[in-house]
Amino acid sequence: MTDKVKIIPQFLDHDDLELMLPHRGKMFLLSRSTAHDTDNHTLTAETDITPDCIFYEADADGVPSWAGFEFLAQGISALTGITNTEKGRTPLPGFILSVMEFKADVDYFKNGTTVQMKVREDFRDEENHVYRYICELFTEVDAAEPKVTAKISVMETEDAEALFGNA
């Protein structure tokens, strides 16, 4: 039995998705979410690479693959935002604790490319609000092999000021 109070559609466009994340303006990098499973903690989303991306480099006509960790972190944020919204809770801010085993088989995501991301939770410590995700980026939608992989650990908090003080 699930404790959902609201069902969120599988497809969410940029504007609907932006309501569930703390990122705004040029720092909001997701174009759409195409599938999610809040019971199994998975999400598939996409980012369209354009010169408007904050990480875009004109000389390479693309976004460096190292910026992929931010695409993935926002995918994780989208998943937690969708999950909390379904459960009638306010989405919580999250913080990246670590990016582990980051591997990129491409140097850049080229202009005009749609980058598909898949995130899957593989560790959950609900008491401390710490989670780890297996993350993949693909340069072709539904490609067999990812171009970027990583494990990302995050922590959600209800009170960032209490967590970090007035630093």
Side-chain angles (χ1 to χ4, degrees):
M1 179 77 184
T2 181
D3 58 346
K4 294 177 184 172
V5 296
K6 181 178 182 180
I7 301 299
I8 304 298
Q10 289 296 308
F11 182 91
L12 295 169
D13 67 17
H14 175 277
D15 295 340
D16 291 332
L17 200 53
E18 191 174 30
L19 298 174
M20 296 182 207
L21 280 79
H23 304 83
R24 296 289 178 266
K26 286 193 89 138
M27 218 28 230
F28 186 80
L29 303 173
L30 302 179
S31 299
R32 70 199 66 78
S33 170
T34 58
H36 62 267
D37 182 336
T38 56
D39 293 325
N40 292 306
H41 310 284
T42 63
L43 174 113
T44 302
E46 297 173 352
T47 296
D48 297 327
I49 304 300
T50 70
D52 292 334
C53 179
I54 195 167
F55 296 111
Y56 179 81
E57 294 180 4
D59 291 347
D61 192 28
V63 172
S65 59
W66 60 259
F69 84 89
E70 183 59 33
F71 297 158
L72 294 166
Q74 288 191 26
I76 292 166
S77 185
L79 176 58
T80 60
I82 290 167
T83 301
N84 284 325
T85 300
E86 277 192 346
K87 294 183 178 190
R89 300 186 305 229
T90 301
L92 298 173
F95 300 93
I96 296 172
L97 296 177
S98 67
V99 177
M100 302 167 288
E101 300 177 30
F102 184 89
K103 180 179 180 252
D105 291 337
V106 294
D107 293 328
Y108 285 87
F109 301 115
K110 290 298 190 178
N111 182 22
T113 302
T114 295
V115 175
Q116 182 184 63
M117 70 195 69
K118 295 184 180 189
V119 298
R120 176 180 51 87
E121 181 184 277
D122 80 327
F123 173 80
R124 171 174 286 259
D125 177 352
E126 287 194 58
E127 181 179 339
N128 294 302
H129 304 281
V130 174
Y131 312 94
R132 184 180 63 213
Y133 295 85
I134 305 297
C135 306
E136 300 173 313
L137 292 176
F138 301 82
T139 54
E140 295 176 31
V141 174
D142 295 324
E145 295 296 321
K147 296 297 182 182
V148 173
T149 57
K151 291 181 181 178
I152 299 177
S153 296
V154 299
M155 180 174 71
E156 291 182 322
T157 183
E158 293 180 22
D159 188 352
E161 189 172 312
L163 184 64
F164 296 110
N166 292 333

